[in-house]
Amino acid sequence: MEWRGKIGLAIGVGMMVVAAGLVLASVQNGTKKASDGIAIAGEARQGGLTVALPDAVAGVRVRKARLPGRPIVVIDPGHGGKDPGATGVSGSTQEKDLTLAMARELADLLEERGRVRVALTREGDRYLTLEQRAGIARRLQAGLFLSLHMDSAPNPLAKGATVYSLSDVASSEEAARFARAENAVDGALSSEENDSVRALLADVALREQMEDSAGLAERLLRRAAGRVELRPRPHQFAAFHVLRRTETPAVLIEAGYISNADDEAMLQTREGRAPLVLALAQAVEADVATRGQR
Ligand SMILES: [Zn+2]
């Protein structure tokens, strides 16, 4: 709701400036007509909207591809700002910093290879709701959406990467629990979870989105196999709001467990993240190329 709040604030501030101006005007010129005030207020309202609305996406930089018209891949570094995500076992790392570092590396690599356009949902340490993240993908009409996360578990031995794709039925109790935790970040969305997921079951577009998302997850895991440590059942399914609301093939990647000392050490360095970043870039390009031929 952040950008809506900004619009409200912009209108509010605009109206206050206008009101102050009117008071001043009426002091300076007692004959000023009420109709002047309405015209000024209208402009202020319009001004507030025209400044605030594009800002929500204007803050998102789309990096160009070598050829024009290439699909836009939106990379979403999980968490940010007041929401740090998981804390590493060392106590010195936070999920929000690692996801941002990894997202930047992936965006740089994709930009360098030049086959897709790339945008990040956040470029800095900024809080975004899940709806805002998905909204960026919708408004950019993204061809793919990747949400990057790092896991944490009570068992310090749990390690390896997992890829989640959207489904109405969770693949395991753990996947369901994880989706509930991620969805709970947006209190406003989680209350409508069951009804809206059920209502959308009949939605053909959603079915297609789920199938394409599962295809992307499988492709990514094939690229990652042998190069990145994966969990025993690395492809999981769950009802993630952030994925559903993107309206495009979308996966959520848990790059590893920062509650595990080995995974944390690996994910803390660019070199440690590089094999997964490369697998992601290759899977994204292969996926876009395959769907472009359909
Ligand atoms: Zn997370």
Side-chain angles (χ1 to χ4, degrees):
M1 297 298 284
E2 197 181 55
W3 64 271
R4 286 197 194 102
K6 270 187 197 152
I7 293 169
L9 190 67
I11 293 170
V13 170
M15 295 298 276
M16 277 194 289
V17 170
V18 169
L22 282 177
V23 170
L24 199 64
S26 60
V27 169
Q28 286 170 339
N29 181 358
T31 61
K32 203 142 179 78
K33 288 196 279 292
S35 58
D36 293 342
I38 292 163
I40 295 166
E43 280 158 19
R45 184 184 296 269
Q46 217 171 40
L49 283 174
T50 47
V51 170
L53 266 180
D55 262 5
V57 178
V60 176
R61 177 166 65 103
V62 179
R63 307 184 190 200
K64 292 197 170 60
R66 245 180 260 127
L67 293 169
R70 303 296 296 163
I72 297 178
V73 175
V74 172
I75 304 166
D76 173 45
H79 311 278
K82 66 181 181 184
D83 167 25
T87 301
V89 66
S90 69
S92 62
T93 52
Q94 290 191 314
E95 183 183 356
K96 65 175 183 178
D97 299 322
L98 299 183
T99 59
L100 182 58
M102 192 168 161
R104 284 185 179 140
E105 286 154 14
L106 177 58
D108 288 348
L109 183 60
L110 284 169
E111 185 180 16
E112 193 185 301
R113 292 161 68 100
R115 297 185 180 96
V116 292
R117 286 181 286 166
V118 196
L120 300 184
T121 54
R122 65 179 177 96
E123 304 257 0
D125 184 17
R126 192 167 155 241
Y127 176 76
L128 290 169
T129 64
L130 299 178
E131 179 55 29
Q132 284 172 321
R133 294 167 196 268
I136 290 168
R138 287 199 307 273
R139 295 168 81 180
L140 291 176
Q141 297 183 306
L144 282 183
F145 180 90
L146 309 176
S147 191
L148 304 184
H149 289 258
M150 316 276 161
D151 223 329
S152 174
N155 175 3
L157 298 178
K159 60 189 299 199
T162 316
V163 180
Y164 289 86
S165 65
L166 177 66
S167 167
D168 36 40
V169 183
S171 51
S172 67
E173 185 43 43
E174 194 194 356
R177 224 182 0 253
F178 173 60
R180 273 198 299 275
E182 289 290 346
N183 291 343
V185 176
D186 262 19
L189 274 175
S190 53
S191 57
E192 43 119 21
E193 174 184 3
N194 290 332
D195 282 347
S196 57
V197 169
R198 253 199 301 277
L200 283 164
L201 277 177
D203 189 329
V204 176
L206 182 70
R207 283 267 157 242
E208 197 175 317
Q209 186 195 355
M210 286 182 191
E211 278 168 30
D212 287 346
S213 301
L216 171 62
E218 289 297 331
R219 185 168 275 128
L220 167 58
L221 289 168
R222 278 198 299 276
R223 301 272 172 178
R227 294 195 252 165
V228 177
E229 182 168 2
L230 302 171
R231 295 214 63 201
R233 287 171 59 218
H235 185 183
Q236 298 282 327
F237 305 83
F240 291 99
H241 293 301
V242 69
L243 300 186
R244 172 165 62 89
R245 298 282 294 150
T246 58
E247 295 175 6
T248 195
V251 294
L252 190 148
I253 295 123
E254 290 285 350
Y257 284 80
I258 54 173
S259 49
N260 174 274
D262 293 342
D263 271 10
E264 187 195 28
M266 176 192 73
L267 292 167
Q268 268 179 312
T269 66
R270 174 185 279 268
E271 295 70 34
R273 295 185 291 260
L276 181 55
V277 167
L278 179 62
L280 281 166
Q282 291 173 335
V284 160
E285 289 168 351
D287 202 82
V288 163
T290 306
R291 253 169 319 111
Q293 286 164 5
R294 278 216 305 243

